[in-house]
């Protein structure tokens, strides 16, 4: 019964080829009847998620896809935004990988809070 209730809440099953992919945002979209778009990220698809939601209404669609058809996920460093700039606005090269960026952010936050006092 649980499977039936989940299936019944899906508005439509859509092949991934029918979605629009934005490589800048790493986001797939598909027109919703309400006028907005269903949205699902590339990362969600790689994580096995196959339900795209519409942010403006309660409709959901199921994405039919094979992981072999998905574009590769960029490295985590590719997800970094312009936050990694020095004081002059120049990009700073990230040499360390993994959780070190969180450690740097924490260290910077602590350093700034100590400087204020």
């Amino acid at each position: 019964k649980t499977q039936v209730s989940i299936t019944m809440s899906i508005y439509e099953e859509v092949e991934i080829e029918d979605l629009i992919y934005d490589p800048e945002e790493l986001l797939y979209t598909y027109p919703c009847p309400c006028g907005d778009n269903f949205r699902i990220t590339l990362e969600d698809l790689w994580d096995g998620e196959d339900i795209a939601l519409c942010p403006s209404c309660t409709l959901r669609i199921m994405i039919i896809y094979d992981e072999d058809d998905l574009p590769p996920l960029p490295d985590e460093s590719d997800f970094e935004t312009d936050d990694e700039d020095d004081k002059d606005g120049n990009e700073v090269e990230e040499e360390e990988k993994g959780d070190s960026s969180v450690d740097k952010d924490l260290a910077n936050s602590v350093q700034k809070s100590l400087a204020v006092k």
Side-chain angles (χ1 to χ4, degrees), residues 26 43 73-84 91-101 104:
L26 305 177
E43 186 173 9
L73 272 175
D75 292 337
E76 276 198 33
S77 61
D78 293 344
F79 284 113
E80 304 278 337
T81 60
D82 293 336
D83 295 342
E84 300 297 326
E91 286 192 20
V92 175
E93 289 290 321
E94 286 263 353
E95 293 182 22
E96 300 171 11
K97 303 264 185 212
D99 295 331
S100 63
S101 63
K104 283 183 188 177

mmCIF file of all heavy atoms in Angstrom, residues 26 43 73-84 91-101 104:
data_model
loop_
_atom_site.group_PDB
_atom_site.id
_atom_site.type_symbol
_atom_site.label_atom_id
_atom_site.label_comp_id
_atom_site.label_asym_id
_atom_site.label_seq_id
_atom_site.Cartn_x
_atom_site.Cartn_y
_atom_site.Cartn_z
ATOM 1 N N LEU A 26 23.931 23.330 -12.486
ATOM 2 C CA LEU A 26 23.879 21.881 -12.257
ATOM 3 C C LEU A 26 22.457 21.469 -11.871
ATOM 4 O O LEU A 26 22.225 20.748 -10.917
ATOM 5 C CB LEU A 26 24.872 21.461 -11.163
ATOM 6 C CG LEU A 26 26.327 21.864 -11.376
ATOM 7 C CD1 LEU A 26 27.181 21.448 -10.192
ATOM 8 C CD2 LEU A 26 26.877 21.271 -12.661
ATOM 9 N N GLU A 43 23.369 16.671 -8.458
ATOM 10 C CA GLU A 43 23.852 15.956 -7.272
ATOM 11 C C GLU A 43 22.764 15.047 -6.702
ATOM 12 O O GLU A 43 23.033 13.905 -6.321
ATOM 13 C CB GLU A 43 24.314 16.954 -6.212
ATOM 14 C CG GLU A 43 24.951 16.297 -5.020
ATOM 15 C CD GLU A 43 25.570 17.289 -4.049
ATOM 16 O OE1 GLU A 43 25.372 18.505 -4.187
ATOM 17 O OE2 GLU A 43 26.248 16.805 -3.129
ATOM 18 N N LEU A 73 29.654 14.791 -12.019
ATOM 19 C CA LEU A 73 29.631 15.856 -11.019
ATOM 20 C C LEU A 73 30.996 16.527 -11.022
ATOM 21 O O LEU A 73 32.023 15.851 -11.053
ATOM 22 C CB LEU A 73 29.375 15.281 -9.631
ATOM 23 C CG LEU A 73 27.933 15.124 -9.203
ATOM 24 C CD1 LEU A 73 27.868 14.425 -7.850
ATOM 25 C CD2 LEU A 73 27.217 16.447 -9.135
ATOM 26 N N PRO A 74 31.032 17.850 -10.973
ATOM 27 C CA PRO A 74 32.335 18.533 -10.886
ATOM 28 C C PRO A 74 32.984 18.241 -9.530
ATOM 29 O O PRO A 74 32.310 17.872 -8.584
ATOM 30 C CB PRO A 74 31.989 20.019 -11.011
ATOM 31 C CG PRO A 74 30.520 20.128 -11.033
ATOM 32 C CD PRO A 74 29.916 18.762 -11.049
ATOM 33 N N ASP A 75 34.296 18.421 -9.456
ATOM 34 C CA ASP A 75 34.987 18.277 -8.176
ATOM 35 C C ASP A 75 34.408 19.273 -7.197
ATOM 36 O O ASP A 75 33.894 20.316 -7.592
ATOM 37 C CB ASP A 75 36.491 18.553 -8.338
ATOM 38 C CG ASP A 75 37.165 17.483 -9.174
ATOM 39 O OD1 ASP A 75 36.627 16.367 -9.249
ATOM 40 O OD2 ASP A 75 38.218 17.792 -9.755
ATOM 41 N N GLU A 76 34.538 18.987 -5.893
ATOM 42 C CA GLU A 76 33.998 19.896 -4.887
ATOM 43 C C GLU A 76 34.577 21.291 -5.025
ATOM 44 O O GLU A 76 33.908 22.267 -4.785
ATOM 45 C CB GLU A 76 34.255 19.356 -3.479
ATOM 46 C CG GLU A 76 33.207 18.378 -3.052
ATOM 47 C CD GLU A 76 33.196 18.181 -1.554
ATOM 48 O OE1 GLU A 76 33.493 19.134 -0.811
ATOM 49 O OE2 GLU A 76 32.875 17.073 -1.141
ATOM 50 N N SER A 77 35.842 21.393 -5.431
ATOM 51 C CA SER A 77 36.461 22.712 -5.563
ATOM 52 C C SER A 77 35.780 23.515 -6.667
ATOM 53 O O SER A 77 35.788 24.739 -6.637
ATOM 54 C CB SER A 77 37.956 22.583 -5.841
ATOM 55 O OG SER A 77 38.172 21.880 -7.041
ATOM 56 N N ASP A 78 35.153 22.832 -7.638
ATOM 57 C CA ASP A 78 34.430 23.536 -8.693
ATOM 58 C C ASP A 78 33.151 24.165 -8.168
ATOM 59 O O ASP A 78 32.608 25.071 -8.773
ATOM 60 C CB ASP A 78 34.081 22.586 -9.844
ATOM 61 C CG ASP A 78 35.317 22.113 -10.581
ATOM 62 O OD1 ASP A 78 36.385 22.746 -10.396
ATOM 63 O OD2 ASP A 78 35.219 21.132 -11.335
ATOM 64 N N PHE A 79 32.648 23.668 -7.011
ATOM 65 C CA PHE A 79 31.438 24.235 -6.431
ATOM 66 C C PHE A 79 31.717 25.536 -5.700
ATOM 67 O O PHE A 79 30.823 26.283 -5.387
ATOM 68 C CB PHE A 79 30.795 23.255 -5.431
ATOM 69 C CG PHE A 79 30.067 22.125 -6.090
ATOM 70 C CD1 PHE A 79 30.528 20.831 -5.978
ATOM 71 C CD2 PHE A 79 28.912 22.360 -6.809
ATOM 72 C CE1 PHE A 79 29.847 19.785 -6.573
ATOM 73 C CE2 PHE A 79 28.242 21.318 -7.416
ATOM 74 C CZ PHE A 79 28.710 20.036 -7.298
ATOM 75 N N GLU A 80 33.000 25.805 -5.396
ATOM 76 C CA GLU A 80 33.359 27.016 -4.658
ATOM 77 C C GLU A 80 32.933 28.240 -5.474
ATOM 78 O O GLU A 80 33.078 28.291 -6.675
ATOM 79 C CB GLU A 80 34.879 27.074 -4.434
ATOM 80 C CG GLU A 80 35.448 25.873 -3.737
ATOM 81 C CD GLU A 80 35.292 25.932 -2.225
ATOM 82 O OE1 GLU A 80 35.157 27.047 -1.697
ATOM 83 O OE2 GLU A 80 35.295 24.876 -1.606
ATOM 84 N N THR A 81 32.430 29.233 -4.768
ATOM 85 C CA THR A 81 31.987 30.452 -5.439
ATOM 86 C C THR A 81 33.043 31.535 -5.279
ATOM 87 O O THR A 81 34.157 31.272 -4.843
ATOM 88 C CB THR A 81 30.652 30.937 -4.843
ATOM 89 O OG1 THR A 81 30.856 31.190 -3.444
ATOM 90 C CG2 THR A 81 29.562 29.899 -5.028
ATOM 91 N N ASP A 82 32.688 32.754 -5.571
ATOM 92 C CA ASP A 82 33.613 33.878 -5.482
ATOM 93 C C ASP A 82 33.943 34.238 -4.043
ATOM 94 O O ASP A 82 34.604 35.236 -3.795
ATOM 95 C CB ASP A 82 33.041 35.102 -6.214
ATOM 96 C CG ASP A 82 32.949 34.866 -7.706
ATOM 97 O OD1 ASP A 82 33.707 34.019 -8.214
ATOM 98 O OD2 ASP A 82 32.128 35.521 -8.369
ATOM 99 N N ASP A 83 33.481 33.442 -3.078
ATOM 100 C CA ASP A 83 33.786 33.708 -1.677
ATOM 101 C C ASP A 83 35.283 33.567 -1.412
ATOM 102 O O ASP A 83 35.798 34.132 -0.460
ATOM 103 C CB ASP A 83 33.038 32.730 -0.759
ATOM 104 C CG ASP A 83 31.534 32.913 -0.828
ATOM 105 O OD1 ASP A 83 31.079 33.973 -1.292
ATOM 106 O OD2 ASP A 83 30.832 31.988 -0.405
ATOM 107 N N GLU A 84 35.978 32.819 -2.252
ATOM 108 C CA GLU A 84 37.403 32.575 -2.057
ATOM 109 C C GLU A 84 38.224 33.685 -2.724
ATOM 110 O O GLU A 84 39.056 33.443 -3.568
ATOM 111 C CB GLU A 84 37.801 31.203 -2.614
ATOM 112 C CG GLU A 84 37.086 30.032 -1.968
ATOM 113 C CD GLU A 84 37.405 29.921 -0.481
ATOM 114 O OE1 GLU A 84 38.545 30.245 -0.086
ATOM 115 O OE2 GLU A 84 36.512 29.523 0.278
ATOM 116 N N GLU A 91 40.907 36.085 -7.028
ATOM 117 C CA GLU A 91 40.632 34.709 -6.614
ATOM 118 C C GLU A 91 41.844 34.117 -5.914
ATOM 119 O O GLU A 91 42.979 34.336 -6.308
ATOM 120 C CB GLU A 91 40.267 33.846 -7.817
ATOM 121 C CG GLU A 91 38.886 34.114 -8.346
ATOM 122 C CD GLU A 91 38.447 33.055 -9.343
ATOM 123 O OE1 GLU A 91 39.005 31.955 -9.351
ATOM 124 O OE2 GLU A 91 37.536 33.365 -10.098
ATOM 125 N N VAL A 92 41.579 33.373 -4.862
ATOM 126 C CA VAL A 92 42.630 32.702 -4.109
ATOM 127 C C VAL A 92 42.622 31.239 -4.516
ATOM 128 O O VAL A 92 41.581 30.604 -4.552
ATOM 129 C CB VAL A 92 42.366 32.834 -2.584
ATOM 130 C CG1 VAL A 92 43.395 32.042 -1.800
ATOM 131 C CG2 VAL A 92 42.358 34.287 -2.171
ATOM 132 N N GLU A 93 43.790 30.706 -4.843
ATOM 133 C CA GLU A 93 43.891 29.304 -5.227
ATOM 134 C C GLU A 93 43.706 28.426 -3.999
ATOM 135 O O GLU A 93 44.324 28.650 -2.967
ATOM 136 C CB GLU A 93 45.260 29.011 -5.846
ATOM 137 C CG GLU A 93 45.461 29.618 -7.224
ATOM 138 C CD GLU A 93 44.605 28.934 -8.271
ATOM 139 O OE1 GLU A 93 44.465 27.699 -8.213
ATOM 140 O OE2 GLU A 93 44.082 29.639 -9.125
ATOM 141 N N GLU A 94 42.825 27.429 -4.110
ATOM 142 C CA GLU A 94 42.619 26.456 -3.037
ATOM 143 C C GLU A 94 43.576 25.304 -3.263
ATOM 144 O O GLU A 94 43.495 24.617 -4.266
ATOM 145 C CB GLU A 94 41.180 25.914 -3.065
ATOM 146 C CG GLU A 94 40.167 26.879 -2.563
ATOM 147 C CD GLU A 94 39.820 26.628 -1.102
ATOM 148 O OE1 GLU A 94 40.279 25.620 -0.536
ATOM 149 O OE2 GLU A 94 39.100 27.439 -0.548
ATOM 150 N N GLU A 95 44.512 25.090 -2.339
ATOM 151 C CA GLU A 95 45.436 23.978 -2.480
ATOM 152 C C GLU A 95 44.958 22.771 -1.708
ATOM 153 O O GLU A 95 45.225 21.652 -2.079
ATOM 154 C CB GLU A 95 46.823 24.390 -1.999
ATOM 155 C CG GLU A 95 47.450 25.444 -2.894
ATOM 156 C CD GLU A 95 48.844 25.809 -2.438
ATOM 157 O OE1 GLU A 95 49.472 24.993 -1.732
ATOM 158 O OE2 GLU A 95 49.294 26.897 -2.797
ATOM 159 N N GLU A 96 44.269 23.010 -0.597
ATOM 160 C CA GLU A 96 43.841 21.906 0.240
ATOM 161 C C GLU A 96 42.482 21.405 -0.218
ATOM 162 O O GLU A 96 41.684 22.140 -0.745
ATOM 163 C CB GLU A 96 43.764 22.366 1.694
ATOM 164 C CG GLU A 96 45.101 22.848 2.214
ATOM 165 C CD GLU A 96 44.976 23.504 3.575
ATOM 166 O OE1 GLU A 96 43.923 23.405 4.201
ATOM 167 O OE2 GLU A 96 45.949 24.133 3.973
ATOM 168 N N LYS A 97 42.227 20.134 0.023
ATOM 169 C CA LYS A 97 40.966 19.518 -0.381
ATOM 170 C C LYS A 97 40.192 19.082 0.858
ATOM 171 O O LYS A 97 40.715 19.031 1.949
ATOM 172 C CB LYS A 97 41.235 18.274 -1.244
ATOM 173 C CG LYS A 97 42.054 18.551 -2.467
ATOM 174 C CD LYS A 97 41.183 18.754 -3.650
ATOM 175 C CE LYS A 97 42.036 18.904 -4.884
ATOM 176 N NZ LYS A 97 41.504 19.733 -5.861
ATOM 177 N N GLY A 98 38.917 18.742 0.647
ATOM 178 C CA GLY A 98 38.125 18.133 1.710
ATOM 179 C C GLY A 98 37.619 19.120 2.741
ATOM 180 O O GLY A 98 37.202 20.214 2.416
ATOM 181 N N ASP A 99 37.678 18.704 4.017
ATOM 182 C CA ASP A 99 37.097 19.475 5.109
ATOM 183 C C ASP A 99 37.935 20.680 5.498
ATOM 184 O O ASP A 99 37.522 21.456 6.344
ATOM 185 C CB ASP A 99 36.912 18.577 6.342
ATOM 186 C CG ASP A 99 35.893 17.479 6.089
ATOM 187 O OD1 ASP A 99 34.984 17.710 5.266
ATOM 188 O OD2 ASP A 99 36.010 16.418 6.713
ATOM 189 N N SER A 100 39.110 20.862 4.918
ATOM 190 C CA SER A 100 39.962 21.964 5.320
ATOM 191 C C SER A 100 39.311 23.314 5.050
ATOM 192 O O SER A 100 39.556 24.273 5.763
ATOM 193 C CB SER A 100 41.318 21.874 4.627
ATOM 194 O OG SER A 100 41.149 22.002 3.231
ATOM 195 N N SER A 101 38.453 23.408 4.029
ATOM 196 C CA SER A 101 37.783 24.682 3.757
ATOM 197 C C SER A 101 36.849 25.047 4.894
ATOM 198 O O SER A 101 36.704 26.210 5.251
ATOM 199 C CB SER A 101 37.035 24.643 2.421
ATOM 200 O OG SER A 101 36.015 23.677 2.460
ATOM 201 N N LYS A 104 39.069 26.356 7.583
ATOM 202 C CA LYS A 104 39.484 27.725 7.266
ATOM 203 C C LYS A 104 38.370 28.709 7.579
ATOM 204 O O LYS A 104 38.606 29.763 8.153
ATOM 205 C CB LYS A 104 39.848 27.847 5.779
ATOM 206 C CG LYS A 104 41.176 27.286 5.413
ATOM 207 C CD LYS A 104 41.422 27.558 3.939
ATOM 208 C CE LYS A 104 42.637 26.873 3.418
ATOM 209 N NZ LYS A 104 42.811 27.096 1.992
#
